[in-house]
């Protein structure tokens, strides 16, 4: 995470966009303290399709509204099992919260602390800060799919899922210019996460790692 900003200094717009494409959505890392996600895409109107809070959900959730040119699309993001679906819903909300913080240019938004905890929260805040500091936002559509969930017990779980970043790119905050990059196997990322349920019943991400170009995610 922390190496992104230093390596981005002095880069051209195109090179910086490529560096951003190596960052992970949600602040994940692959053990090298670097992010592995993209930032931004084509102008579009796709909005988040994260499942809404259930009628029995009494958590005071923060408001998250993505801009019109940014969308998070979640495919088959339910299992029919209420316990597992509650976990998946909060994974989706955590994704939305991260992209919302980038779009707003504010790593201190309450939404991040609502869906992250511990070192995962610190990593997410650092990642958002690095993208904003370098003068970029995100645009386009991120697609999330192939989710697999393992409930360890009533308060901890693991979720593995894929992200298709082929329609998402970096956007210059000042000019609005979208920096498009070629679609390759590395446009597809596999995430492994650990979540723990807090006293409010919210499943918070405590660990997030990523692997770009994983065969389980590529077309």
């Amino acid at each position: 995470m922390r190496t992104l900003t230093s390596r981005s200094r002095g880069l051209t717009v195109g090179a910086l966009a490529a560096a951003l494409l190596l960052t992970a959505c949600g602040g994940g890392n692959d053990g090298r303290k670097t992010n592995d996600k993209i930032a931004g895409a084509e102008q579009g109107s796709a909005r988040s399709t994260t499942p809404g809070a259930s009628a029995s959900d009494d958590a005071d959730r923060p408001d998250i509204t993505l801009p019109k040119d940014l969308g998070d699309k979640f495919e088959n993001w339910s299992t029919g099992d209420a316990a597992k679906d509650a976990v998946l819903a909060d994974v989706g909300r955590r994704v939305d919260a991260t992209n919302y913080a980038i779009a707003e240019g504010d790593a201190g938004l309450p939404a991040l602390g609502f869906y992250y905890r511990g070192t995962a929260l610190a990593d997410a805040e650092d990642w958002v800060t690095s993208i904003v500091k370098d003068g970029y936002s995100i645009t386009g559509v991120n697609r999330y799919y192939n989710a697999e969930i393992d409930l360890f017990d009533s308060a901890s779980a693991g979720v593995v899922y894929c992200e298709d970043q082929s329609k998402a790119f970096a956007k210059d905050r000042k000019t609005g210019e979208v920096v498009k990059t070629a679609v390759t196997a590395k446009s597809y990322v596999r995430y492994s996460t650990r979540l723990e349920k807090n006293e409010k019943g919210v499943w918070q991400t405590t660990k997030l790692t990523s692997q770009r170009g994983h065969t389980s995610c590529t077309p």
Side-chain angles (χ1 to χ4, degrees), residues 3 16 56 71 78 140 145 152 154 173 175 180 189 200 218:
T3 60
L16 178 55
S56 61
S78 63
Y145 55 102
F152 303 137
S154 61
R173 286 188 176 276
T175 67
K180 295 187 177 181
V189 187
K200 297 180 180 179
T218 54

Side-chain angles (χ1 to χ4, degrees), residues 152-173:
F152 303 137
D153 52 45
S154 61
S156 62
V159 177
V160 175
Y161 63 95
C162 298
E163 180 186 17
D164 172 5
Q165 304 173 341
S166 64
K167 295 182 179 180
F169 303 92
K171 182 176 71 172
D172 188 288
R173 286 188 176 276

Side-chain angles (χ1 to χ4, degrees), residues 169-212:
F169 303 92
K171 182 176 71 172
D172 188 288
R173 286 188 176 276
K174 291 184 178 180
T175 67
E177 178 186 2
V178 177
V179 186
K180 295 187 177 181
T181 53
V183 177
T184 69
K186 291 188 176 181
S187 300
Y188 304 89
V189 187
R190 181 178 186 267
Y191 295 96
S192 296
T193 67
R194 178 180 174 85
L195 299 98
E196 297 178 10
K197 186 165 64 172
N198 66 14
E199 66 281 357
K200 297 180 180 179
V202 177
W203 287 92
Q204 295 179 303
T205 294
T206 59
K207 182 178 181 181
L208 191 159
T209 61
S210 60
Q211 183 177 354
R212 185 168 293 280

